[in-house]
Amino acid sequence: MKHAGAASNRDWLGLKGRVCAVTGAGGGIGAEVARQLAEAGARVALLDRDLDNVKGVADAIAKTGADVMSLACDVTQADSILQAATQIEAAFGSVTLLVNNAGVLFADALLDISLDKWNRLLAVNLSGYLLCSQVFGRQMVAAGGGSMVHIASISASVPQPYGGAYSVSKAGVMMLSRQLAVELGAQGVRSNVVSPAMIRTPMSEGIYANPDVRERREQIVPARRISTPEDIAGAVLFLASERADYISGQEILVDGALTQAWLGLIPRPGFEKQDAEASSVA
């Protein structure tokens, strides 16, 4: 969506003054995306089911002088989203950037997961994205355009065993984004996905509490580190910005080249690092 005044060097991303809604903004990726959007000059509404957490994040951002607000919002409930959208519009104007980020993760084998647990995860991770896209998408269409960025996962393309409905939900997010891009493109609305791989957030902190597990994970990533919310937020801001004005229906995978390393993890005598080093010396 083009806005009055092209992005200058001081506002390279063209986000200054944009009205943005970020779901699941009480911590992790959502909180960092909100912080970076505010730093770029956007007016940011932080939405989360936990009002105390999201208010704390918003208060910290507000100390920088940014325009922010925090709202309790349950993304599984259309009425809750509509109420939040109405409040944002009254305070800041129409939302022209939505970051769908709220998510949950339950461990379960597919043969054992209850339908209730399956539906609860899909309600947040997939149906919640649809409901937010509907409510805020209507504001974007009325405003003449906008941008949606949906947080998916490497698990959308690579199955995560014993993750219950998680991989299925994230694969659904990928197709939801593509379909939104096609259906709303003529109204000036773009839709894209950012997919993290291994990332350290409050939701995954239990995994990284064990230093042995953390080190083993770091060793299989070519970048030799686990990603951070800052890594993901940078990709989100780019896709949200005027610099990505002709990019829609796409995915940015933020994985430190993990998905390119699978063959290197398979034993292949004669084609391993020590073999290559010995060959070069010879």
Side-chain angles (χ1 to χ4, degrees), residues 35-122:
R35 188 192 69 76
Q36 290 197 23
L37 284 170
E39 189 176 271
R43 311 180 80 185
V44 189
L46 288 73
L47 280 55
D48 200 283
R49 191 166 52 183
D50 188 329
L51 183 58
D52 289 338
N53 273 358
V54 78
K55 188 176 185 304
V57 174
D59 288 347
I61 295 173
K63 289 178 181 177
T64 67
D67 287 334
V68 295
M69 62 188 298
S70 56
L71 295 167
C73 182
D74 182 347
V75 299
T76 68
Q77 302 298 318
D79 288 347
S80 180
I81 301 167
L82 185 58
Q83 182 178 14
T86 301
Q87 291 177 265
I88 298 167
E89 191 169 29
F92 288 161
S94 296
V95 169
T96 58
L97 168 58
L98 166 66
V99 181
N100 262 326
N101 168 72
V104 293
L105 171 63
F106 307 134
D108 250 312
L110 289 180
L111 291 187
D112 300 325
I113 190 170
S114 69
L115 183 59
D116 175 67
K117 206 169 184 181
W118 174 274
N119 286 339
R120 276 193 287 136
L121 188 145
L122 289 177

Side-chain angles (χ1 to χ4, degrees), residues 177-271:
S177 177
R178 293 171 187 168
Q179 191 166 337
L180 286 165
V182 173
E183 293 189 9
L184 299 178
Q187 283 79 40
V189 179
R190 297 184 298 109
S191 177
N192 291 289
V193 165
V194 172
S195 290
M198 293 184 289
I199 180 170
R200 194 163 184 172
T201 67
M203 189 167 75
S204 65
E205 187 57 38
I207 296 171
Y208 296 104
N210 184 327
D212 290 335
V213 172
R214 185 183 69 248
E215 184 176 351
R216 282 164 54 200
R217 284 183 162 226
E218 289 171 342
Q219 287 305 306
I220 67 171
V221 181
R224 291 296 187 267
R225 69 176 178 87
I226 304 304
S227 70
T228 66
E230 289 85 350
D231 296 318
I232 311 307
V236 170
L237 261 68
F238 168 68
L239 286 177
S241 76
E242 291 183 4
R243 299 294 174 175
D245 202 56
Y246 201 61
I247 299 175
S248 193
Q250 303 302 313
E251 175 197 22
I252 291 182
L253 177 60
V254 186
D255 74 340
L258 174 64
T259 51
Q260 306 307 310
W262 301 133
L263 285 179
L265 300 176
I266 299 171
R268 298 175 69 210
F271 293 88

